[in-house]
Amino acid sequence: TASDTASDTASDTASAPTEEIEVVEFPPEISKVDRLKRAAKFWSAAVPIVASYYGKSGELYLREALLGERLSSDEAQEEFDKLHFKGAEKLASTITSLKGFYVKTAQIIASRQDLFPEQYTQALSGFTDNLDPISAKLARAVIEKELLNADETFEDVFSEFDEVPLGSASVAQVHRAVLTEKYGGPKEVAVKIQRPSIESKLMGDISNLIALAKPLQDADALPLDYYTVFVELKSQLADEFDFVAEAVAMDRVYQTVSRTPEGLPCEPPLVIPRPVPGLVSKRVLVMDYLPGVPLSRARDEMIKKGIDPDGPEAKLFGRKLLRALTETFGRCILETGFFHADPHGGNIFVLDDGSVGL
């Protein structure tokens, strides 16, 4: 009967296994309270570091004025080296726990040996591409939200996707993947994925740094006006969250170095990845995959392969690297005024074929 049929159908439906849909939770935007907590933690570490230099300078002045004790240049340097080691260790520990824009600050310090003591540049050198990554599940969820059409699955776009990222920095991380035939594959690509809710965290962090640097704007003990530096960084930082603008910038730099000043085609001095059309959004950027290692890890890679990092082979590559970067940045700056403004060791690659990637 109809009732029996309906009953059997209902029974079959009830007993059929239901497919579980895994829900990936996106991290929330950082609250004002959390921003204040992060600011307090940073200030509690940074202010004593800065104060220690004023304290040591005052101590040495008083010893000379009241006791007639004047240290030699080497002795004074030894005193300040102790402060450098202690301050660098404390700052690195604080940035490790806070992350956010403070990682960007660490990258800047690590790449400017001309402005900061060696103890600081060494202690902060590990923040270029080794930051704790977001989970592979969350990375896939960001891609699905940003790139996929309503009728597409993840497997419609990528036939392979490495769960372990190639590198992870303050704003984003990069995974190797392979495109399906639907998107021009099989082709190896690099997928750059922005950390969820990172924009509010970084902008809040840099506001805290500006507040910290403003009272020290005229301090003679500091090598430059960090307040002005951070204000300029804040005005430029918004571009880092827009991967569509980044894709346009990549193509613009490529066009500059792949043509002569007269507009004729030429071989670029280094390899610049191209974005994949149709697979670019504000928070996800799919681009050419460059097989190799970042410059920040090149020395360790040389040692693994039995190459002396201070030997003739390494020095020969060093000259090649310098020529490629000099030509690229020279042409971009002098010809167009548009150039890659974040060339730290995590953004420059030593490729498997011996060429240089940017």
Side-chain angles (χ1 to χ4, degrees), residues 151-189:
D151 58 344
E152 285 183 326
T153 65
F154 192 87
E155 289 70 25
D156 289 332
V157 181
F158 302 104
S159 59
E160 294 180 28
F161 183 81
D162 291 354
E163 293 198 349
V164 178
L166 299 168
S168 179
S170 55
V171 173
Q173 63 191 49
V174 179
H175 292 253
R176 173 199 163 275
V178 177
L179 293 177
T180 61
E181 291 184 5
K182 180 179 180 180
Y183 284 91
K187 175 186 177 181
E188 276 190 303
V189 291

Short mmCIF file of all heavy atoms in Angstrom, two decimals, residues 151-189:
data_model
loop_
_atom_site.label_atom_id
_atom_site.label_comp_id
_atom_site.label_asym_id
_atom_site.label_seq_id
_atom_site.Cartn_x
_atom_site.Cartn_y
_atom_site.Cartn_z
N ASP A 151 29.31 26.36 -7.62
CA ASP A 151 29.12 24.97 -8.05
C ASP A 151 30.43 24.18 -8.07
O ASP A 151 30.49 23.09 -8.63
CB ASP A 151 28.49 24.94 -9.44
CG ASP A 151 29.35 25.67 -10.47
OD1 ASP A 151 30.24 26.45 -10.06
OD2 ASP A 151 29.12 25.48 -11.68
N GLU A 152 31.48 24.71 -7.45
CA GLU A 152 32.79 24.05 -7.48
C GLU A 152 33.15 23.44 -6.13
O GLU A 152 32.74 23.93 -5.08
CB GLU A 152 33.89 25.05 -7.87
CG GLU A 152 33.92 25.41 -9.34
CD GLU A 152 35.09 26.34 -9.66
OE1 GLU A 152 35.44 27.17 -8.81
OE2 GLU A 152 35.63 26.22 -10.76
N THR A 153 33.96 22.38 -6.20
CA THR A 153 34.58 21.81 -5.00
C THR A 153 36.06 22.14 -5.03
O THR A 153 36.59 22.58 -6.07
CB THR A 153 34.40 20.29 -4.94
OG1 THR A 153 35.13 19.68 -6.03
CG2 THR A 153 32.93 19.90 -5.02
N PHE A 154 36.73 21.89 -3.93
CA PHE A 154 38.17 22.15 -3.85
C PHE A 154 38.91 21.35 -4.92
O PHE A 154 39.85 21.84 -5.55
CB PHE A 154 38.68 21.78 -2.45
CG PHE A 154 40.07 22.25 -2.15
CD1 PHE A 154 40.30 23.52 -1.63
CD2 PHE A 154 41.16 21.43 -2.39
CE1 PHE A 154 41.58 23.96 -1.34
CE2 PHE A 154 42.45 21.86 -2.10
CZ PHE A 154 42.66 23.13 -1.58
N GLU A 155 38.46 20.09 -5.12
CA GLU A 155 39.12 19.19 -6.07
C GLU A 155 38.89 19.60 -7.52
O GLU A 155 39.60 19.14 -8.41
CB GLU A 155 38.63 17.75 -5.85
CG GLU A 155 39.13 17.11 -4.56
CD GLU A 155 38.50 17.72 -3.31
OE1 GLU A 155 37.38 18.28 -3.41
OE2 GLU A 155 39.13 17.65 -2.24
N ASP A 156 37.92 20.47 -7.77
CA ASP A 156 37.71 20.98 -9.13
C ASP A 156 38.84 21.93 -9.53
O ASP A 156 39.11 22.12 -10.73
CB ASP A 156 36.38 21.73 -9.23
CG ASP A 156 35.18 20.80 -9.17
OD1 ASP A 156 35.33 19.63 -9.57
OD2 ASP A 156 34.11 21.24 -8.71
N VAL A 157 39.48 22.52 -8.55
CA VAL A 157 40.54 23.50 -8.82
C VAL A 157 41.93 22.88 -8.64
O VAL A 157 42.82 23.07 -9.48
CB VAL A 157 40.40 24.72 -7.89
CG1 VAL A 157 41.50 25.75 -8.21
CG2 VAL A 157 39.02 25.35 -8.04
N PHE A 158 42.11 22.12 -7.55
CA PHE A 158 43.43 21.57 -7.23
C PHE A 158 43.39 20.04 -7.21
O PHE A 158 42.58 19.45 -6.48
CB PHE A 158 43.92 22.08 -5.88
CG PHE A 158 44.01 23.57 -5.78
CD1 PHE A 158 43.06 24.30 -5.07
CD2 PHE A 158 45.04 24.26 -6.40
CE1 PHE A 158 43.13 25.68 -4.98
CE2 PHE A 158 45.12 25.65 -6.32
CZ PHE A 158 44.17 26.36 -5.61
N SER A 159 44.27 19.43 -7.98
CA SER A 159 44.39 17.97 -7.94
C SER A 159 45.33 17.54 -6.83
O SER A 159 45.26 16.40 -6.35
CB SER A 159 44.89 17.44 -9.28
OG SER A 159 46.15 17.99 -9.61
N GLU A 160 46.22 18.43 -6.42
CA GLU A 160 47.12 18.20 -5.29
C GLU A 160 47.20 19.48 -4.46
O GLU A 160 47.13 20.58 -5.00
CB GLU A 160 48.53 17.82 -5.75
CG GLU A 160 48.65 16.50 -6.47
CD GLU A 160 50.09 16.21 -6.88
OE1 GLU A 160 51.03 16.71 -6.19
OE2 GLU A 160 50.29 15.52 -7.89
N PHE A 161 47.35 19.29 -3.14
CA PHE A 161 47.53 20.45 -2.26
C PHE A 161 48.34 19.99 -1.05
O PHE A 161 47.89 19.16 -0.27
CB PHE A 161 46.18 21.01 -1.80
CG PHE A 161 46.28 22.24 -0.95
CD1 PHE A 161 46.46 23.50 -1.52
CD2 PHE A 161 46.23 22.16 0.44
CE1 PHE A 161 46.55 24.64 -0.74
CE2 PHE A 161 46.33 23.28 1.24
CZ PHE A 161 46.49 24.54 0.65
N ASP A 162 49.57 20.51 -0.93
CA ASP A 162 50.44 20.12 0.18
C ASP A 162 49.95 20.76 1.48
O ASP A 162 49.82 22.00 1.56
CB ASP A 162 51.88 20.55 -0.08
CG ASP A 162 52.52 19.75 -1.21
OD1 ASP A 162 51.88 18.80 -1.69
OD2 ASP A 162 53.66 20.08 -1.59
N GLU A 163 49.70 19.94 2.48
CA GLU A 163 49.19 20.46 3.75
C GLU A 163 50.25 21.24 4.52
O GLU A 163 49.94 22.16 5.27
CB GLU A 163 48.63 19.32 4.60
CG GLU A 163 47.39 18.68 4.00
CD GLU A 163 46.61 17.88 5.02
OE1 GLU A 163 47.13 17.66 6.13
OE2 GLU A 163 45.46 17.49 4.70
N VAL A 164 51.52 20.86 4.36
CA VAL A 164 52.60 21.57 5.05
C VAL A 164 53.02 22.76 4.19
O VAL A 164 53.40 22.59 3.03
CB VAL A 164 53.80 20.65 5.29
CG1 VAL A 164 54.93 21.42 5.97
CG2 VAL A 164 53.40 19.45 6.14
N PRO A 165 52.94 23.98 4.71
CA PRO A 165 53.27 25.15 3.89
C PRO A 165 54.76 25.24 3.56
O PRO A 165 55.61 24.75 4.32
CB PRO A 165 52.82 26.33 4.76
CG PRO A 165 52.85 25.81 6.15
CD PRO A 165 52.50 24.36 6.07
N LEU A 166 55.05 25.86 2.44
CA LEU A 166 56.44 26.12 2.07
C LEU A 166 57.08 27.15 2.99
O LEU A 166 58.28 27.12 3.26
CB LEU A 166 56.51 26.63 0.62
CG LEU A 166 55.98 25.67 -0.45
CD1 LEU A 166 55.82 26.41 -1.77
CD2 LEU A 166 56.91 24.49 -0.60
N GLY A 167 56.28 28.08 3.45
CA GLY A 167 56.74 29.14 4.34
C GLY A 167 55.55 29.84 4.96
O GLY A 167 54.44 29.80 4.42
N SER A 168 55.79 30.46 6.10
CA SER A 168 54.70 31.13 6.81
C SER A 168 55.23 32.40 7.45
O SER A 168 56.21 32.37 8.20
CB SER A 168 54.14 30.19 7.88
OG SER A 168 53.12 30.81 8.61
N ALA A 169 54.59 33.53 7.14
CA ALA A 169 55.04 34.82 7.65
C ALA A 169 53.92 35.52 8.40
O ALA A 169 52.92 34.91 8.76
CB ALA A 169 55.57 35.68 6.50
N SER A 170 54.07 36.82 8.60
CA SER A 170 53.14 37.54 9.47
C SER A 170 51.75 37.69 8.87
O SER A 170 50.75 37.59 9.57
CB SER A 170 53.70 38.94 9.79
OG SER A 170 53.99 39.64 8.59
N VAL A 171 51.67 37.91 7.56
CA VAL A 171 50.38 38.15 6.91
C VAL A 171 49.81 36.89 6.27
O VAL A 171 48.60 36.67 6.31
CB VAL A 171 50.51 39.26 5.84
CG1 VAL A 171 49.23 39.42 5.04
CG2 VAL A 171 50.88 40.59 6.51
N ALA A 172 50.66 36.06 5.70
CA ALA A 172 50.17 34.93 4.91
C ALA A 172 51.13 33.75 4.97
O ALA A 172 52.24 33.86 5.48
CB ALA A 172 49.95 35.36 3.46
N GLN A 173 50.67 32.63 4.42
CA GLN A 173 51.52 31.47 4.25
C GLN A 173 51.32 30.93 2.85
O GLN A 173 50.32 31.22 2.19
CB GLN A 173 51.22 30.40 5.29
CG GLN A 173 49.84 29.79 5.23
CD GLN A 173 49.54 28.95 6.46
OE1 GLN A 173 49.75 29.38 7.60
NE2 GLN A 173 49.07 27.73 6.24
N VAL A 174 52.28 30.12 2.37
CA VAL A 174 52.28 29.65 0.99
C VAL A 174 52.33 28.13 0.95
O VAL A 174 53.15 27.51 1.63
CB VAL A 174 53.47 30.24 0.20
CG1 VAL A 174 53.46 29.71 -1.24
CG2 VAL A 174 53.40 31.77 0.20
N HIS A 175 51.45 27.54 0.14
CA HIS A 175 51.39 26.09 -0.05
C HIS A 175 51.66 25.75 -1.51
O HIS A 175 51.25 26.49 -2.41
CB HIS A 175 50.02 25.54 0.32
CG HIS A 175 49.69 25.62 1.78
ND1 HIS A 175 49.68 24.51 2.60
CD2 HIS A 175 49.37 26.67 2.57
CE1 HIS A 175 49.35 24.88 3.83
NE2 HIS A 175 49.16 26.18 3.84
N ARG A 176 52.31 24.63 -1.73
CA ARG A 176 52.47 24.11 -3.09
C ARG A 176 51.20 23.34 -3.45
O ARG A 176 50.60 22.64 -2.62
CB ARG A 176 53.67 23.17 -3.18
CG ARG A 176 53.81 22.46 -4.53
CD ARG A 176 54.69 21.24 -4.43
NE ARG A 176 54.51 20.35 -5.57
CZ ARG A 176 53.56 19.42 -5.67
NH1 ARG A 176 52.69 19.26 -4.67
NH2 ARG A 176 53.46 18.65 -6.73
N ALA A 177 50.77 23.47 -4.71
CA ALA A 177 49.59 22.76 -5.18
C ALA A 177 49.74 22.47 -6.67
O ALA A 177 50.67 22.95 -7.32
CB ALA A 177 48.32 23.57 -4.91
N VAL A 178 48.82 21.66 -7.19
CA VAL A 178 48.80 21.37 -8.63
C VAL A 178 47.40 21.65 -9.14
O VAL A 178 46.41 21.18 -8.58
CB VAL A 178 49.16 19.89 -8.91
CG1 VAL A 178 49.04 19.59 -10.40
CG2 VAL A 178 50.58 19.58 -8.43
N LEU A 179 47.31 22.45 -10.21
CA LEU A 179 46.01 22.79 -10.80
C LEU A 179 45.44 21.64 -11.61
O LEU A 179 46.18 20.83 -12.18
CB LEU A 179 46.15 24.01 -11.71
CG LEU A 179 46.51 25.36 -11.05
CD1 LEU A 179 46.67 26.43 -12.12
CD2 LEU A 179 45.45 25.76 -10.04
N THR A 180 44.12 21.57 -11.66
CA THR A 180 43.44 20.59 -12.51
C THR A 180 43.43 21.07 -13.96
O THR A 180 43.78 22.23 -14.25
CB THR A 180 41.99 20.38 -12.03
OG1 THR A 180 41.29 21.65 -12.15
CG2 THR A 180 41.95 19.91 -10.59
N GLU A 181 43.01 20.17 -14.86
CA GLU A 181 42.93 20.54 -16.27
C GLU A 181 41.97 21.70 -16.50
O GLU A 181 42.14 22.50 -17.42
CB GLU A 181 42.50 19.33 -17.10
CG GLU A 181 43.53 18.22 -17.16
CD GLU A 181 43.10 17.08 -18.08
OE1 GLU A 181 42.04 17.23 -18.73
OE2 GLU A 181 43.82 16.08 -18.14
N LYS A 182 40.96 21.80 -15.67
CA LYS A 182 39.97 22.87 -15.80
C LYS A 182 40.63 24.24 -15.72
O LYS A 182 40.16 25.21 -16.35
CB LYS A 182 38.92 22.73 -14.70
CG LYS A 182 37.83 23.79 -14.72
CD LYS A 182 36.81 23.55 -13.62
CE LYS A 182 35.71 24.61 -13.64
NZ LYS A 182 34.72 24.40 -12.56
N TYR A 183 41.72 24.33 -14.96
CA TYR A 183 42.41 25.61 -14.79
C TYR A 183 43.81 25.60 -15.40
O TYR A 183 44.73 26.25 -14.91
CB TYR A 183 42.48 25.97 -13.30
CG TYR A 183 41.15 26.48 -12.77
CD1 TYR A 183 40.23 25.60 -12.21
CD2 TYR A 183 40.82 27.83 -12.86
CE1 TYR A 183 39.00 26.06 -11.74
CE2 TYR A 183 39.60 28.29 -12.39
CZ TYR A 183 38.70 27.41 -11.84
OH TYR A 183 37.48 27.87 -11.38
N GLY A 184 43.95 24.81 -16.48
CA GLY A 184 45.21 24.84 -17.23
C GLY A 184 46.24 23.84 -16.76
O GLY A 184 47.39 23.89 -17.21
N GLY A 185 45.88 22.94 -15.86
CA GLY A 185 46.82 21.97 -15.35
C GLY A 185 46.95 20.74 -16.25
O GLY A 185 46.35 20.69 -17.33
N PRO A 186 47.75 19.76 -15.81
CA PRO A 186 48.45 19.79 -14.53
C PRO A 186 49.61 20.80 -14.52
O PRO A 186 50.45 20.77 -15.41
CB PRO A 186 48.96 18.35 -14.37
CG PRO A 186 49.06 17.84 -15.78
CD PRO A 186 47.98 18.49 -16.54
N LYS A 187 49.60 21.67 -13.53
CA LYS A 187 50.63 22.70 -13.41
C LYS A 187 50.89 22.98 -11.93
O LYS A 187 49.95 23.20 -11.16
CB LYS A 187 50.17 23.99 -14.10
CG LYS A 187 51.13 25.15 -13.93
CD LYS A 187 50.56 26.44 -14.52
CE LYS A 187 51.50 27.61 -14.27
NZ LYS A 187 50.98 28.89 -14.80
N GLU A 188 52.17 22.96 -11.55
CA GLU A 188 52.53 23.28 -10.17
C GLU A 188 52.36 24.77 -9.91
O GLU A 188 52.78 25.60 -10.73
CB GLU A 188 53.99 22.89 -9.88
CG GLU A 188 54.21 21.45 -9.51
CD GLU A 188 55.62 21.21 -9.01
OE1 GLU A 188 56.56 21.53 -9.76
OE2 GLU A 188 55.78 20.70 -7.88
N VAL A 189 51.75 25.09 -8.79
CA VAL A 189 51.55 26.50 -8.43
C VAL A 189 51.84 26.69 -6.95
O VAL A 189 51.89 25.72 -6.18
CB VAL A 189 50.10 26.96 -8.72
CG1 VAL A 189 49.84 27.02 -10.21
CG2 VAL A 189 49.08 26.06 -8.01
#
